[in-house]
Amino acid sequence: GIRDCLSSRGLGDVYKRQAGNIVFRIKNSYIEGINLTGGIAGAVRGGVVENCHNFNTTVVLKEGNNNTVGGVVAQCTGEKIEKCTNTGNVISYSTNNFLQMGGICGLSNNTKLIECTNYGNITVKAEQGDSYYVGGISGVTVASVEGKSTIDRCNNEGKVTGRGCVGGIVGSSYIGVTIKNCSNVNEVKGRAFLGGIVGMLGNTENKLSHSTLMECYNSGSITAYSENDELTSSFGGIVGVINDKGREDIIEKCYSCLLYTSPSPRDKRQS
């Protein structure tokens, strides 16, 4: 596993068989990559990521058909990411419509995210494409086995700016994921499918699986903008859109206190 890391350099692919602690002392740096770009590691294929911190290191996904970037880990299929923080900005210039981008993790699959906090701003700079998945904690969280993926006691304090499927905690969550006791306190901004906690909840035809969202709150503003006089759609204080193709998803004991901003085409022409 990876434990007790202070990093401003990526580790590349890390597999479960690589045991021991890895410690870095470089801070306030800059990481740029073409894919699987993370502040601590590019890809974690097993084991645990624990007590790892990106301190003020900017992580950048370069322009092109690139798709995964995270403030701590780009892609994780390990057991869990626990007690990790990111204070660096995460920026993407990618034009890939399936961008996966998060303050802690770009993509988590069958992974538990526990007590993680993001303070950095998460920003998509590309000016084309719609199906970006951008979250303050995780861009995309999915479980091939129901209940295997959770996001628990995670908080986002950074501004999250994307295009479509943008959430204060996660951009898109599906196939039996549980999100609980999480909070977002900063602005979520994009074109469509914007949520204070989750941009898109549910995205599967698996009739045996559903997602659960419980005891989460949002106090960040939701800002939807238009392009070419096209109105935006589907944004909410907790969830932007519920794409329920299987069993019913569950949302309970969640609340939001925020400001919505959605300019009309006329507003845009006059600005």
Side-chain angles (χ1 to χ4, degrees):
I2 309 172
R3 292 181 171 87
D4 305 316
C5 296
L6 306 176
S7 175
S8 295
R9 294 190 298 147
L11 298 179
D13 277 12
V14 179
Y15 291 83
K16 189 173 183 179
R17 65 175 179 271
Q18 296 177 315
N21 295 344
I22 305 171
V23 179
F24 290 92
R25 298 295 181 186
I26 304 172
K27 298 184 288 186
N28 305 316
S29 190
Y30 181 92
I31 296 172
E32 184 179 68
I34 59 172
N35 203 8
L36 294 179
T37 303
I40 300 293
V44 176
R45 310 296 186 184
V48 173
V49 180
E50 187 175 11
N51 290 320
C52 292
H53 310 284
N54 174 357
F55 289 127
N56 299 322
T57 293
T58 300
V59 183
V60 177
L61 191 65
K62 296 174 69 174
E63 183 177 0
N65 191 31
N66 309 308
N67 69 349
T68 311
V69 59
V72 175
V73 177
Q75 182 186 93
C76 186
T77 55
E79 179 184 342
K80 65 179 179 178
I81 302 174
E82 185 171 6
K83 295 180 180 177
C84 295
T85 60
N86 172 55
T87 62
N89 294 330
V90 181
I91 301 169
S92 172
Y93 295 92
S94 171
T95 53
N96 189 316
N97 270 347
F98 297 97
L99 171 69
Q100 301 158 342
M101 178 180 185
I104 300 298
C105 185
L107 168 65
S108 59
N109 188 343
N110 294 331
T111 302
K112 300 181 187 302
L113 282 78
I114 304 169
E115 292 187 58
C116 295
T117 302
N118 173 63
Y119 301 95
N121 293 329
I122 315 302
T123 308
V124 171
K125 295 285 190 179
E127 297 182 355
Q128 57 181 314
D130 290 311
S131 298
Y132 297 149
Y133 303 106
V134 184
I137 298 298
S138 175
V140 174
T141 294
V142 61
S144 59
V145 177
E146 186 173 344
K148 195 101 183 242
S149 283
T150 61
I151 304 178
D152 185 11
R153 290 164 286 163
C154 293
N155 306 292
N156 177 59
E157 297 190 17
K159 181 178 178 180
V160 184
T161 303
R163 291 175 64 81
C165 298
V166 186
I169 297 299
V170 60
S172 179
S173 172
Y174 58 98
I175 313 182
V177 175
T178 296
I179 303 169
K180 59 184 180 179
N181 303 310
C182 294
S183 66
N184 172 63
V185 299
N186 211 325
E187 180 183 23
V188 174
K189 182 177 181 180
R191 290 189 67 242
F193 307 145
L194 316 176
I197 301 298
V198 182
M200 177 182 288
L201 181 68
N203 184 16
T204 177
E205 295 183 2
N206 185 341
K207 298 185 183 303
L208 300 179
S209 296
H210 67 279
S211 294
T212 301
L213 178 59
M214 59 189 300
E215 297 184 10
C216 296
Y217 78 88
N218 171 56
S219 61
S221 61
I222 307 296
T223 302
Y225 64 87
S226 61
E227 289 182 343
N228 302 319
D229 291 345
E230 294 182 359
L231 292 175
T232 55
S233 63
S234 298
F235 53 95
I238 299 298
V239 176
V241 63
I242 299 175
N243 190 9
D244 189 353
K245 296 181 180 179
R247 281 164 45 187
E248 292 184 357
D249 295 307
I250 298 171
I251 302 175
E252 63 180 32
K253 296 182 180 179
C254 296
Y255 72 91
S256 177
C257 179
L258 54 81
L259 172 69
Y260 294 97
T261 304
S262 180
S264 69
R266 180 179 179 182
D267 293 334
K268 183 181 178 185
R269 287 194 298 268
Q270 291 178 344
S271 61

